[in-house]
Structure formats: C-alpha cells, structure tokens
Amino acid sequence: MATRHNWTKEEILEIYNKPLMELLYEAATIHREHHDPNTVQVSTLLSIKTGGCPEDCGYCPQAARYHTNVEGNDLMSVNQVKAQALRAKASGSSRVCMGAAWRNVKDGEEFDSVLEMVRTINKLDMEVCCTLGMITENQAQRLAEAGLYAYNHNLDSSEEYYKEVISTRGYQDRLDTIGNVRKTNVTVCSGGIIGMGESADDRAGMLVALSTLSPQPESVPINALVPVEGTPMEEQEPVSIWEMVRMVATARIVMPETQVRLSAGRTQMSREGQAMCFFAGANSIFAGDKLLTTPNPDVSEDMELFKSLGLNPQKAFEKKEQPKSVSAEESQYQNLGEKPKWSRPGHKIERNLEAQQKRKAKA
C-alpha cells in the first residue's frame, strides 16, 4: 500500500468504525508489508527538567498552575543523564527521549547543556529524541548538529478540540515547530492523547493532521490519558482497550511506514490488550517505571511480555542511519539569542480555570 497524504476525516472515521476483526486484519496486513511484526522498539523517556511549566495543558501534572504531587527539579547534569542512558541501554532500550517542562527552548546555558546531553547519548550508539517545547529553525539545526535523531512535538488532539485542552499556545505553533524540524535531518515524532473528552471525530481529525504532513512523522505516539489528581482532567474516565486498539490500527493503516508508539496508559492495559495493540500495528513502547511523571510498567514486566509473545527489541538506527555529532566548537549554527513570539491564544477553558482556583484555595 502506497503512503497517502490526502486522507479525509470521513475516510479515517470509516476505518476507525469498521467491525473490529476487519479493522485488525487490515491493520495487521499493512503492518507486515512495512515492518517486521515480531520487532518492537524499546525507548526510555527521561524527564531532564520536571515541573514548573507555565502552560495550562489540561492533562498535565507538570503545569505550575495546578496542585499536583509532582516534585519540580532543575535541569539534570550531563553526567546524570549519561548514567541514566547507560542504565536504559543495559535494560534493552535503543532510544532515549529527553523531556523538559519548557514552553519553548530559550538560547543560553541550559540549551547548551541539552546539546551536550545529545552529543553524549549519541556517542553511546543510542538514538536520541528530545521534547523541549517549541523551537526555531536555528535551534533545530543546532540539535541536528549535536546528533539528535528525533524531535517529539505532539499535536495532542484535533485542531478543534485542542482549544478545549490548552489556551496558552496555538495549534499552528505546533505545526510550525514540526516544520522547523523538517528543515534538518532530524526525524519527527508527533502524536496525541485519547481519553480527554474528545469525540471520535476529533480522533480522526488528529490523524488527518498527522497523515497529511509530507513526509508523515516517522513516529506517532498514541497515549491514553492518565487522569492525575489536581489537573482539570482528574475526573475523566479511562479509555477502554477497544478504543486504544482502534486508534492504533487506524494510525497504522493511514500511516503505514510510521512507527506507532504505544505510550502512556499501558499500566491500565492487560497483557492481552497490549498484545492486541502490537498485532494492530504498534511497534514501539516506552520502558521504565515512569513516563515523565506518570506510572509505566516495569522493564522486567515488558521483557517477560516480549518473551511470551516472541517479540524482539529493535536495534538502534535500523530505520535511519546514526547521525554524526558535531562538537560545540565546530558547530556552524550558533546561539542567536532568539526571542520568538509564539502565540498565546488566551481564550478561557472553564475546567482549567476551576483547577487553578482549587490550587489557590490549597495554597
């Protein structure tokens, strides 16, 4: 099946709503045409700077404006990150994704330190991914020179529903950041979250936004919301495994060459449910006891599941060759001290405001 970039919402909804057995068969068939069905990439997500984020994302316990039990941490040191990366490699991970609770990257010492982390992990022969918020073209080029393999910037939901989740940044800024990454040799990782109160229409809308990008993202994480006390979405009912399977299968069909990542929410899934997701086309997971701040299955549990299913961890750089790392001294792209004006839509989201009021009452 050739990759299409002109999927419509109606077409995607029709796929999503197919009888489940037909949907699974079609997705599994396409999966086998483009991927080894017995190979799954294992990645480790590392929070290099936790909490204190100025955004108002309704799902996120790291937002400073909500009262959650997340302990904030300053940026980790390069040596701390190297130690964690070596631990991840020893446990079977081929990729490390570093996340910082920033709205956007700011040129300066902290970003220089992140660039050094990228160089360090790349030299360990591991794929390096970063999720740092919005970035400019120059910042993307600096990350590419350091040896970054992938940049994650999730669309979260459809453009329409995004306005019900976040008021402090605009959807177009997400797309512009992905566009800036595409001007480099860094691969794109972009997906979203289901279970935030969105409709099937919104889920299809998110897949339209992702699948019509050209090229399509090399990685698409599908997250199930993990409701966290203190956030505006603390009362959301967890999505069913059937919704997850449908979302994974539909993503596989409309983005055949993409690595579909089974991400947050796996602790709520049975082993059988996860197996169905792998059959439907998921070929990447995050390992380790935490996904930034939310619980995740233990690595040993995952390896036991792999053994039961006959799955093998994917080796690093199987999909794309290892990037070269350029030292800071030899870099062509320098700190420009940029201060881009990313948008702040500023509309009101009632549940987000209520969660802020609760935090003030507890202070």
Side-chain angles (χ1 to χ4, degrees):
M1 178 180 177
T3 300
R4 278 181 55 189
H5 299 278
N6 61 346
W7 290 98
T8 65
K9 190 192 285 188
E10 292 70 29
E11 287 175 315
I12 290 177
L13 268 175
E14 192 178 330
I15 294 168
Y16 181 87
N17 288 319
K18 277 187 177 190
L20 188 64
M21 296 307 163
E22 279 185 41
L23 177 62
L24 278 172
Y25 180 77
E26 185 178 346
T29 304
I30 289 169
H31 186 52
R32 279 165 164 67
E33 285 173 14
H34 296 272
H35 306 272
D36 178 350
N38 296 317
T39 300
V40 173
Q41 185 178 46
V42 181
S43 305
T44 293
L45 188 54
L46 183 60
S47 183
I48 57 172
K49 189 271 173 186
T50 307
C53 183
E55 304 284 65
D56 76 335
C57 308
Y59 52 80
C60 186
Q62 298 202 64
R65 59 188 77 204
Y66 308 135
H67 184 79
T68 63
N69 292 320
V70 169
E71 288 184 25
N73 291 105
D74 292 335
L75 189 69
M76 292 170 71
S77 70
V78 175
N79 284 338
Q80 285 174 314
V81 167
K82 183 178 181 180
Q84 294 275 17
L86 285 167
R87 185 176 157 221
K89 188 175 183 179
S91 67
S93 286
S94 60
R95 178 184 288 202
V96 172
C97 185
M98 298 187 287
W102 293 336
R103 169 178 164 79
N104 58 278
V105 169
K106 292 175 183 171
D107 290 338
E109 285 183 17
E110 288 199 326
F111 185 44
D112 291 344
S113 186
V114 171
L115 293 171
E116 203 50 48
M117 294 172 194
V118 172
R119 292 185 185 98
T120 301
I121 298 174
N122 188 43
K123 285 172 188 165
L124 298 177
D125 296 328
M126 297 184 80
E127 296 174 11
V128 197
C129 177
C130 280
T131 180
L132 311 169
M134 278 92 74
I135 55 171
T136 65
E137 182 183 344
N138 183 68
Q139 290 162 345
Q141 293 288 6
R142 294 180 74 197
L143 284 163
E145 274 195 327
L148 191 69
Y149 186 90
Y151 194 83
N152 167 264
H153 203 59
N154 288 338
L155 295 183
D156 290 337
S157 190
S158 67
E159 185 167 7
E160 294 74 23
Y161 197 70
Y162 190 87
K163 299 181 183 78
E164 304 297 319
V165 178
I166 302 157
S167 73
T168 52
R169 63 181 185 222
Y171 204 74
Q172 188 58 47
D173 289 343
R174 315 299 283 172
L175 296 169
D176 289 347
T177 289
I178 291 170
N180 288 336
V181 174
R182 277 290 178 223
K183 292 167 186 170
T184 73
N185 65 351
V186 175
T187 62
V188 167
C189 176
S190 185
I193 307 168
I194 67 170
M196 299 189 292
E198 76 290 338
S199 64
D201 261 43
D202 291 312
R203 293 174 189 176
M206 180 182 80
L207 291 178
V208 168
L210 292 166
S211 64
T212 53
L213 292 171
S214 187
Q216 291 177 344
E218 285 80 1
S219 295
V220 169
I222 304 294
N223 297 275
L225 177 73
V226 179
V228 176
E229 189 178 350
T231 64
M233 295 186 177
E234 64 181 2
E235 303 290 338
Q236 285 295 140
E237 285 291 318
V239 293
S240 72
I241 188 60
W242 310 118
E243 292 170 279
M244 254 331 251
V245 169
R246 284 187 180 280
M247 196 66 184
V248 166
T250 308
R252 168 53 65 229
I253 291 166
V254 300
M255 292 175 280
E257 293 180 38
T258 292
Q259 295 222 215
V260 178
R261 299 183 177 275
L262 191 58
S263 299
R266 282 202 303 125
T267 51
Q268 298 156 350
M269 297 180 203
S270 67
R271 289 157 61 91
E272 294 83 359
Q274 291 179 65
M276 284 187 75
C277 288
F278 293 136
F279 183 73
N283 57 345
S284 178
I285 61 166
F286 284 106
D289 58 353
K290 271 192 178 178
L291 280 189
L292 294 181
T293 58
T294 53
N296 198 46
D298 185 81
V299 175
S300 59
E301 284 179 46
D302 287 330
M303 291 306 107
E304 197 180 304
L305 179 60
F306 274 34
K307 191 176 176 185
S308 299
L309 300 177
L311 297 175
N312 302 305
Q314 181 182 304
K315 291 179 178 148
F317 313 113
E318 273 197 12
K319 300 289 184 180
K320 185 174 179 287
E321 66 180 22
Q322 183 174 6
K324 292 182 172 67
S325 283
V326 176
S327 68
E329 296 75 30
E330 294 176 350
S331 175
Q332 287 183 298
Y333 296 90
Q334 301 300 320
N335 175 350
L336 299 179
E338 294 177 281
K339 293 182 179 175
K341 291 200 181 306
W342 299 103
S343 68
R344 291 184 184 274
H347 57 281
K348 290 181 171 57
I349 302 173
E350 286 305 320
R351 63 182 170 186
N352 291 14
L353 292 172
E354 283 171 20
Q356 284 176 245
Q357 290 303 322
K358 279 186 194 172
R359 181 187 185 277
K360 285 175 185 170
K362 287 181 180 178

